[in-house]
Amino acid sequence: MISRRTLFASTLGLTGGLLLPTAAAVAAPADWSRAVVDSTIARRPDPASLGGWGYIQGLFLLGTYRVHQRVDEPSYLAYIKRWVDNFVDADGHMSRTFDNLDAMQAGNLLLILHQETGDPRYRTAVGQIRARITTYPRTADGGMWHATGRTNELWGDGVFMAQPFLLRYGIAYGDQEYAYEEVTRNLSVYFRHLKAANGLIYHGYDADGDAPWKPDPTTGTSAHFWARAIGWTAMTHVEVLELLPADHPRRAELIDNVRHLAKGFARYQDPATGRWFQVVDKASEPGNWTETSASSMYTLMLHAALEHGWISGDGYTEAARRGYEGVLRKVSVGSDGLTNITDISEGTNVGDLAYYLGRARNTNDLHGLGAFLLMNERLAH
């Protein structure tokens, strides 16, 4: 088994000092990441209250694990284990069919727990997801459908749900050849179909052209640039590139994808707040608002891309710095001593403009808590 630092890369030795806000920017706890994890556990001491097996729970708990890697807090790992054990029986079986990509993301926690505890139940459980990936339906050019009920549809959200998991599985269990090919092909196929000339990607693509969200009859894409779908794709590229061999034949293509997104992020960053809008390219649209989870994801990608040398330039450094400061302005400590993160979009399907703008602006939604933790662990520690 390779080291957890390699398999579950968090900071990868990257410090965020260059991009930290000035002291005047926030009045912060000594450790925002710990404050967010501790506050969430205080509010939900029983991990079952996080909800069922799902990607937002997996995201938050992956963020919690990244904090655990740094601070070595046993209660954090115990909290993750208690949540996972609600879904894995004594024989390692999970009563799930894994008929959508969202259901695969929390498989990262099974990998973590097998590595941390050695309990073979988790190895058995994670094998169910890997076996399902083999049979999971794909478009003609190899893109995994967003869900079995979304025939031939690719959503920008989907790549984060399955591809980093598959890559980590392959590295951990000697399945690299399949994982490298499958993961990079999916990122290539998704990006090629969703890519827009403005430096962003559309939310969805339908190869059949008959999705209820009315794909463009020529391109098959949806009409709008929803912030978090783009953020999921951005984070996936970072997670994959940090584990992919340096000589992999698709590596240059994936780095080009990062550069494409970096240009879009710099172009559409809100000059007033440093964050990005729910519908990214429509800042002046009445009712549009800056969304915190996506802003965390964009900041994470910009920072990682700068540190790895995939992008360069003072403009990107400034964009990452301002993005971080902008996100921190949405984080506060309440009168109860617990942290709050505001303006987090609820879960969102592909839709029209009014649908995106009308999504609930939640506080302490797991989408935003998890994205914040992944970002903050890179930039602040």
Side-chain angles (χ1 to χ4, degrees):
M1 189 76 69
I2 65 175
S3 72
R4 66 178 177 179
R5 184 171 180 82
T6 301
L7 184 55
F8 294 99
S10 54
T11 59
L12 291 168
L14 309 180
T15 60
L18 175 67
L19 301 178
L20 286 173
T22 62
V26 291
D31 187 331
W32 272 119
S33 291
R34 292 204 71 159
V36 167
V37 174
D38 291 344
S39 295
T40 306
I41 293 175
R43 289 187 174 107
R44 306 182 184 201
D46 180 358
S49 66
L50 291 176
W53 181 268
Y55 73 93
I56 59 170
Q57 293 80 10
L59 176 70
F60 169 71
L61 294 173
L62 177 61
T64 299
Y65 181 70
R66 296 270 170 90
V67 182
H68 167 73
Q69 286 184 292
R70 175 172 59 85
V71 303
D72 194 22
E73 173 52 65
S75 66
Y76 292 174
L77 188 62
Y79 190 83
I80 295 167
K81 185 177 185 301
R82 286 169 59 205
W83 183 80
V84 170
D85 284 348
N86 289 313
F87 311 101
V88 180
D89 69 18
D91 297 320
H93 178 72
M94 300 183 69
S95 298
R96 293 203 59 92
T97 55
F98 301 105
D99 284 341
N100 57 76
L101 298 184
D102 290 349
M104 299 179 185
Q105 194 280 334
N108 288 290
L109 305 177
L110 300 171
L111 293 169
I112 287 168
L113 289 174
H114 186 227
Q115 179 178 282
E116 290 281 357
T117 70
D119 188 332
R121 293 186 307 123
Y122 302 119
R123 175 69 177 88
T124 300
V126 82
Q128 285 184 241
I129 305 177
R130 171 62 184 85
R132 179 60 177 129
I133 287 175
T134 301
T135 63
Y136 194 83
R138 290 159 171 80
T139 59
D141 51 0
M144 296 172 68
W145 299 358
H146 189 72
T148 56
R150 305 278 186 176
T151 304
N152 278 317
E153 292 185 39
L154 310 178
W155 295 11
D157 327 23
V159 289
F160 188 83
M161 307 310 165
Q163 305 314 322
F165 160 79
L166 177 58
L167 187 54
R168 293 188 183 104
Y169 178 98
I171 293 169
Y173 301 124
D175 196 19
Q176 292 99 322
E177 183 176 355
Y178 178 87
Y180 292 155
E181 174 59 24
E182 190 66 27
V183 168
T184 59
R185 180 173 61 247
N186 266 272
L187 286 180
S188 176
V189 168
Y190 268 73
F191 211 88
R192 184 170 66 251
H193 287 304
L194 298 174
K195 183 178 180 180
N198 63 358
L200 302 175
I201 61 171
Y202 292 99
H203 187 177
Y205 163 79
D206 177 27
D208 297 329
D210 60 358
W213 39 265
K214 297 181 174 58
D216 182 283
T218 302
T219 65
T221 59
S222 56
H224 298 291
F225 303 104
W226 176 51
R228 194 163 62 227
I230 304 169
W232 289 123
T233 295
M235 288 204 305
T236 303
H237 278 74
V238 172
E239 299 263 341
V240 168
L241 282 165
E242 287 179 343
L243 296 175
L244 198 65
D247 61 352
H248 191 278
R250 288 200 182 104
R251 186 176 183 84
E253 179 185 354
L254 301 190
I255 292 174
D256 282 345
N257 293 348
V258 170
R259 291 170 177 161
H260 173 86
L261 292 176
K263 291 176 182 177
F265 295 170
R267 178 180 182 181
Y268 291 109
Q269 187 175 32
D270 179 29
T273 68
R275 296 184 295 273
W276 286 266
F277 282 87
Q278 167 82 336
V279 180
V280 182
D281 64 328
K282 297 188 181 298
S284 61
E285 184 71 29
N288 208 355
W289 47 284
T290 60
E291 201 281 328
T292 306
S293 68
S295 296
S296 299
M297 294 171 176
Y298 295 10
T299 300
L300 181 160
M301 192 208 80
L302 288 169
H303 175 263
L306 284 162
E307 291 289 333
H308 286 297
W310 304 329
I311 60 174
S312 61
D314 292 342
Y316 290 134
T317 300
E318 177 67 7
R321 183 189 65 79
R322 293 184 61 250
Y324 188 50
E325 290 183 350
V327 169
L328 287 181
R329 292 189 189 100
K330 292 295 182 179
V331 188
S332 62
V333 178
S335 59
D336 58 0
L338 303 182
T339 61
N340 294 296
I341 303 180
T342 59
D343 285 344
I344 303 164
S345 176
E346 64 182 322
T348 300
N349 295 320
V350 181
D352 60 17
L353 183 61
Y355 170 78
Y356 291 117
L357 298 184
R359 303 308 285 161
R361 299 166 65 167
N362 291 334
T363 296
N364 298 329
D365 186 298
L366 294 177
H367 292 93
L369 300 183
F372 175 81
L373 292 173
L374 295 184
M375 177 203 69
N376 201 56
E377 283 304 291
R378 288 176 178 271
L379 273 78
H381 303 288

